[in-house]
Amino acid sequence: MSSEWDHEVDVVVLGTGGAGLTAALTAATRGASVAVYEKAPTVGGTTAVSGGIVWIPAHHRSPDGELTVDDAMRYLEAQSLGAMDTDLVETFVRTGPEMLDFVESHSELQFEVAAGFPDYKPELPGGRPSGGRSHNAKPFDLDRLGDWSDRITSFPVDFSNVGIDAETRARIHASVDDIDGNYCVAGTALIAGLLKGLLDHGVAPVTEARALELIAGSDGRIVGVRISHGGRDLRVHARRGVVLGTGGFEWDEKLVDAYLRGPMHGPVSPPNNTGDGLRMAMVHGADLANMGEAWWVPIVQIPGDTIDGHQRSRSVRLERTRPRSIIVNRAGRRFLNEAGEYNSMAGPFHHLDPRFGYLNDPAWIVFDSLHLKKYGFLGVEPDGVAPDWYCKSADLTELGAKTGIDSDGLARTLEVWNRNVAHETDPDFGRGSSAYDGYWGDTNAATPALQTLGPIDTAPYFAVPVTVGAMGTKGGPRTDGDARVLHVSGQPIPGLYAAGNAMAGVTGKAYGGAGGTLGPAMVFGYRAGRAVTTD
């Protein structure tokens, strides 16, 4: 080893989310020596606190028979608005089954089809109302990890930033109540299974090790990386290349302000995704794509609720979907389908009037006493006591005074809403018309529409502020089909690869279904791991 390097391996992987661990596992199984570095004290990144679902739209695992590439492509093209890279998307779609087979063969991570989980826009051409494209990580016994069993990133136990509370776990079939042992589910299980596979191949991630700089040779090839670890800088030689799996930039305010297409008031990911990989790649001339997009999600921010010193944002899923709640703007008007998939809600929140700014930001979830009594709200148990910031009000006038919502506008909205839901319809925004709309609603309701539609007519009334946040960003270095980072000239930057939210999202604006982030992340992590060992 040259004296200019502190460590030398074939492949360096930066980041330990689904993308990074899949890349590292792939490279290691192909005989490469691999070093994995993670800036956080624990491993798993955003993947670890997610639902652990992987969206693979074409495969042979469905009980309904083969799910075809053609249907998957038609579906994604129908929602992409011309913003996706068709060749890269087809690469993702065709590689998905191969990636699943590889991971299951070389690690202890196993998948099962999430029965009945519909696509996010199942009514579009090629969409699947009955599901079959989303795959759950099967429960994993943490005792299998030995000393690593408590080193996976997690959120506080009250309920997760990304909405993976007890009821949500049941909805996504991620429950271990009937299994003996130290089993974990969802994103924890996905990371645990991959990590066990990597450890079995002799690769142990190095934590609290932040990548600072990509090191290039005289010919421009990326040959190593400078790492900050243990109070000193290490220079690590990567003989074959470096894979960026460092996540997005949602926790860096400057990058968010510079690139995202509209307001993003709070990430629901762990506070580590600050654009490290993006900046390092830009130094070497990386082309960028999809920078204005994020994996958008409506959020609430509970007063005094922080994580690692940052205001904590929580995604809202059940509360906005169940009957007897709606979302309104300052004028008291609805502006979206509250039960729709979260990523598409950014458009309505970002509606900009040149005179008055963003008309629908901020907004409020308005619900009545029967909603609270039957379902609870944001951790308050059914029929529980609402905290002061729920703005409990005897009538709409009081609610308007407490929130700033136009009470007359809200009264008109509720009059129309209550009249329409009596006929089980929402002609304004189509709530309840899609197979997806009722999935997070009242599963005991008599009809699909009534799983999400219900009158708001019983005082006291409540209102909770809601705005738009993100699970992660979608923009980053542009790549080819083997995850090679492309220079602004259009040619690959030799020795540099990217996957997950550290790369430009291949599906553009589209979000196919549950696991639509992790599916491409793992597929291109797999392809990066193959390419870095063969280029």
Side-chain angles (χ1 to χ4, degrees), residues 297-373:
V297 64
I299 59 168
V300 295
Q301 295 177 328
I302 298 174
D305 182 29
T306 61
I307 181 168
D308 292 346
H310 301 276
Q311 171 65 50
R312 186 178 178 200
S313 300
R314 304 179 186 239
S315 72
V316 191
R317 183 180 288 113
L318 299 167
E319 291 80 5
R320 61 178 170 80
T321 303
R322 289 162 169 159
R324 292 186 171 269
S325 74
I326 58 173
I327 294 177
V328 300
N329 60 16
R330 291 181 293 265
R333 300 191 183 109
R334 294 177 65 225
F335 56 92
L336 47 66
N337 172 7
E338 297 90 344
E341 57 91 4
Y342 41 85
N343 186 65
S344 295
M345 290 186 171
F349 272 101
H350 288 164
H351 178 61
L352 179 64
D353 185 298
R355 300 167 298 168
F356 303 112
Y358 293 101
L359 296 183
N360 302 322
D361 183 34
W364 289 263
I365 303 177
V366 173
F367 55 103
D368 71 0
S369 62
L370 295 186
H371 178 105
L372 185 64
K373 182 179 181 66

Side-chain angles (χ1 to χ4, degrees), residues 18-264:
L21 290 186
T22 303
L25 178 67
T26 306
T29 61
R30 294 168 66 87
S33 57
V34 180
V36 180
Y37 296 97
E38 167 60 54
K39 71 186 284 188
T42 52
V43 300
T46 305
T47 303
V49 297
S50 74
I53 298 176
V54 178
W55 193 73
I56 302 296
H59 59 84
H60 291 83
R61 299 181 176 214
S62 172
D64 298 334
E66 179 185 5
L67 305 189
T68 68
V69 171
D70 287 346
D71 280 346
M73 293 301 295
R74 284 195 304 126
Y75 173 61
L76 288 168
E77 287 168 351
Q79 59 174 293
S80 71
L81 302 177
M84 75 182 195
D85 185 318
T86 302
D87 290 340
L88 285 185
V89 170
E90 186 168 350
T91 297
F92 154 61
V93 171
R94 292 187 179 279
T95 308
E98 181 182 332
M99 182 277 294
L100 292 179
D101 291 343
F102 169 83
V103 166
E104 290 183 332
S105 296
H106 293 89
S107 77
E108 295 192 14
L109 173 58
Q110 301 292 301
F111 293 102
E112 59 187 354
V113 173
F117 205 141
D119 284 338
Y120 281 170
K121 292 185 173 63
E123 66 279 0
L124 293 179
R128 289 191 55 80
S130 59
R133 288 171 167 157
S134 296
H135 297 70
N136 283 323
K138 289 185 178 180
F140 187 89
D141 186 354
L142 284 171
D143 289 342
R144 300 280 297 150
L145 288 176
D147 292 343
W148 283 89
S149 64
D150 60 352
R151 298 183 64 185
I152 297 176
T153 298
S154 63
F155 281 140
V157 296
D158 53 352
F159 78 94
S160 165
N161 279 37
V162 287
I164 312 300
D165 58 357
E167 180 170 352
T168 302
R169 288 182 189 275
R171 299 281 182 101
I172 64 174
H173 315 289
S175 177
V176 290
D177 293 341
D178 57 348
I179 303 177
D180 293 329
N182 186 23
Y183 279 84
C184 62
V185 295
T188 310
L190 190 149
I191 291 297
L194 285 175
L195 178 60
K196 182 61 166 60
L198 200 58
L199 294 171
D200 288 346
H201 283 84
V203 181
V206 180
T207 58
E208 296 184 280
R210 181 174 187 172
L212 302 176
E213 177 189 12
L214 296 171
I215 302 171
S218 58
D219 59 355
R221 180 181 182 86
I222 302 302
V223 296
V225 60
R226 184 165 62 92
I227 303 285
S228 175
H229 176 62
R232 59 187 290 252
D233 283 2
L234 304 175
R235 292 169 61 87
V236 182
H237 186 198
R239 289 183 292 258
R240 306 302 297 265
V242 175
V243 181
L244 302 176
T246 50
F249 57 86
E250 65 271 15
W251 280 96
D252 187 284
E253 292 184 9
K254 289 184 178 179
L255 292 175
V256 165
D257 291 343
Y259 288 115
L260 293 188
R261 62 179 169 87
M264 196 287 289

Side-chain angles (χ1 to χ4, degrees), residues 1 3 28 131 157 163 169 186 208 278 284 310 400 409 417 447 507 520 534:
M1 181 171 63
S3 59
V157 296
R169 288 182 189 275
E208 296 184 280
L278 172 65
H284 294 274
H310 301 276
W417 170 258
T447 67
T507 57
T534 56

